[in-house]
Amino acid sequence: MGNNEEVKLLGVWASPFSRRIEMALKLKGVSYEYLEEDLEKKSSLLLALSPIHKKIPILVHNGKTIIESHVILEYIDETWKHNPILPQDPYERSVARVFAKLVDEQIVNVGFVSLTKTEKGREGLIQQTRELIKCLEKELAGKDYFGGKTVGFLDFVAGSMIPFCLERAWEGMGVEMITEKEFPEYNKWVKKLKEVEIMVDCIPPREEHIKHMNHMGEKIRSA
């Protein structure tokens, strides 16, 4: 990256959406300034940069504002060409995008709703989430990572969201969600992710994160 380039990332420490952007920037070796946001009291900078969306993550590159995590990941990949994030093959790239939407639209929606229910009400939602994760299990068969031998787009999306966010919330509720017996490929993949330095650097602190997720769930359930 040129010395005259300015890169800023507005995010939240516990958010998988901003953490995955950090993973991508680190993979590319891009220097950036990280700005922590409080979503209950959004900064004037966040509101000025994204007056309609009003969400994190927000990437600012040389004065240009890019929003929405999938869009930001693709922008990063197209701007800094080395260490590709998305698959180079058009078909594989389309598959990665479809699975990323599965994670962020279906697994997230069902998974997070399960966190807001009492023990009796969450059983069906947990089973629905497991069925969706089985799609990822099949896609991982015979691979180290979703893209093959190196981490990339779908590893950042799914990794930031499921093992390093949702699973921690389920753990905090005493739910053993994705067992090694039922999901061997998934669990092998998670172990591989924990060996990747850029991933480890971007994973929120475990105990603090579980406490944060528990607090969120309790807050919603009591609302």
Side-chain angles (χ1 to χ4, degrees):
M1 185 175 99
N3 292 331
N4 61 338
E5 291 199 82
E6 180 186 51
V7 180
K8 294 181 180 180
L9 173 62
L10 281 69
V12 171
W13 72 272
S15 168
F17 300 104
S18 57
R19 288 292 187 168
R20 65 182 55 157
I21 305 306
E22 292 192 77
M23 292 170 187
L25 291 170
K26 287 180 182 294
L27 178 69
K28 296 286 188 177
V30 176
S31 299
Y32 63 96
E33 179 185 359
Y34 175 77
L35 302 171
E36 177 73 13
E37 281 289 331
D38 180 351
L39 296 184
E40 293 186 0
K41 189 178 180 182
K42 296 171 183 177
S43 71
S44 57
L45 177 60
L46 184 153
L47 296 175
L49 291 172
S50 183
I52 297 174
H53 196 243
K54 298 179 184 178
K55 296 179 181 178
I56 57 92
I58 299 174
L59 185 76
V60 183
H61 176 219
N62 291 340
K64 295 174 290 189
T65 301
I66 306 95
I67 61 172
E68 300 189 359
S69 68
H70 292 194
V71 176
I72 296 173
L73 288 172
E74 296 211 26
Y75 177 87
I76 291 170
D77 207 28
E78 292 169 6
T79 301
W80 296 280
K81 303 289 187 181
H82 59 286
N83 298 338
I85 295 171
L86 280 147
Q88 299 301 289
D89 177 79
Y91 173 72
E92 292 179 1
R93 194 157 57 242
S94 71
V95 170
R97 288 176 176 139
V98 168
F99 275 102
K101 287 175 73 68
L102 172 76
V103 171
D104 278 356
E105 293 179 9
Q106 297 187 56
I107 293 176
V108 166
N109 287 343
V110 180
F112 268 109
V113 171
S114 76
L115 305 178
T116 69
K117 302 295 182 181
T118 61
E119 186 173 346
K120 185 178 180 180
R122 73 173 71 114
E123 188 175 326
L125 294 166
I126 285 175
Q127 189 54 41
Q128 287 181 50
T129 308
R130 286 194 176 112
E131 291 300 319
L132 291 169
I133 293 172
K134 283 180 182 177
C135 297
L136 299 179
E137 174 76 6
K138 292 176 182 177
E139 182 65 16
L140 280 166
K143 301 177 182 178
D144 288 337
Y145 307 103
F146 282 105
K149 293 295 182 183
T150 57
V151 293
F153 176 73
L154 189 50
D155 299 291
F156 295 155
V157 172
S160 62
M161 179 57 70
I162 304 174
F164 305 130
C165 185
L166 282 174
E167 272 203 87
R168 288 178 168 184
W170 290 317
E171 181 184 343
M173 297 190 304
V175 177
E176 191 176 7
M177 184 69 184
I178 311 174
T179 64
E180 194 157 0
K181 182 179 180 180
E182 190 176 2
F183 297 91
E185 297 291 343
Y186 170 89
N187 280 280
K188 183 178 73 174
W189 168 69
V190 173
K191 288 175 184 175
K192 292 290 291 183
L193 291 184
K194 292 177 180 178
E195 297 172 359
V196 180
E197 186 176 354
I198 62 165
M199 300 291 289
V200 174
D201 287 347
C202 296
I203 297 170
R206 184 174 173 279
E207 296 303 325
E208 188 178 354
H209 199 198
I210 291 174
K211 184 177 179 181
H212 171 80
M213 297 296 290
N214 282 346
H215 176 71
M216 283 181 57
E218 289 169 4
K219 188 175 180 180
I220 294 170
R221 286 192 293 273
S222 62

